[in-house]
Amino acid sequence: MTRPGWDEYFMEIARTVATRATCPRASVGAVITREKRILTTGYNGAPRGVPHCTDAGCLMVDGHCLRATHAEANAIVQGALHGVSLAGGTAYCTHEPCAGCSKLLISAGIIRIVFTNAYPDTVATLLLGEAGVTVEQLVSDPLRALT
């Protein structure tokens, strides 16, 4: 067994965080770090005090579930709730962030995003590029699925 690099390590944690997701449409996880330390985590699920999709069903509008808050947004909210600045951080996301989450990540001061599953959004790509945020796709090890 080889020791994972930092990107692989934090992405594996994001995958574990995603197992807490409560919207059956996708299990998404996010971990925000700075200087090799975890600052916050988030997964897609309903806002505090609102029934989850798994309990009340998805609230679909134009092909999107509006009941669930995205993982990246929940990770940012955790920082706000607990007074943790995310400025200068890296976001590890199981899925490529949408335009809405990209705007939030930019505004929170995230300088790097690492993702595994592509979810192409041309507006997100444009905004992240304009903001100077580094975006990298982490290619999964194909042998990992065999173990």
Side-chain angles (χ1 to χ4, degrees):
M1 187 166 125
T2 59
R3 185 175 186 208
W6 287 107
D7 286 346
E8 292 80 11
Y9 172 72
F10 289 127
M11 189 59 72
E12 189 61 33
I13 294 170
R15 285 187 196 100
T16 299
V17 170
T19 66
R20 294 276 307 150
T22 61
C23 182
R25 294 177 41 83
S27 293
V28 182
V31 173
I32 300 179
T33 70
R34 188 176 52 239
E35 298 174 3
K36 300 177 183 159
R37 301 213 186 278
I38 295 172
L39 302 175
T40 63
T41 65
Y43 53 88
N44 56 320
R48 182 183 308 197
V50 175
H52 291 285
C53 298
T54 51
D55 299 325
C58 293
L59 182 58
M60 299 299 293
V61 176
D62 295 329
H64 296 280
C65 177
L66 298 186
R67 181 178 298 283
T69 302
H70 289 188
E72 301 90 338
N74 274 326
I76 292 166
V77 166
Q78 287 304 308
L81 278 173
H82 300 291
V84 177
S85 171
L86 306 178
T90 295
Y92 291 89
C93 308
T94 59
H95 294 67
E96 190 173 4
C98 67
C101 287
S102 293
K103 291 187 289 185
L104 293 172
L105 291 165
I106 291 166
S107 294
I110 297 301
I111 60 172
R112 181 172 176 246
I113 297 170
V114 180
F115 70 92
T116 51
N117 299 306
Y119 185 80
D121 184 320
T122 55
V123 173
T125 301
L126 172 71
L127 295 173
L128 291 165
E130 288 178 347
V133 175
T134 301
V135 180
E136 303 169 28
Q137 184 172 16
L138 184 64
V139 179
S140 295
D141 178 2
L143 297 177
R144 181 179 181 275
L146 300 175
T147 57

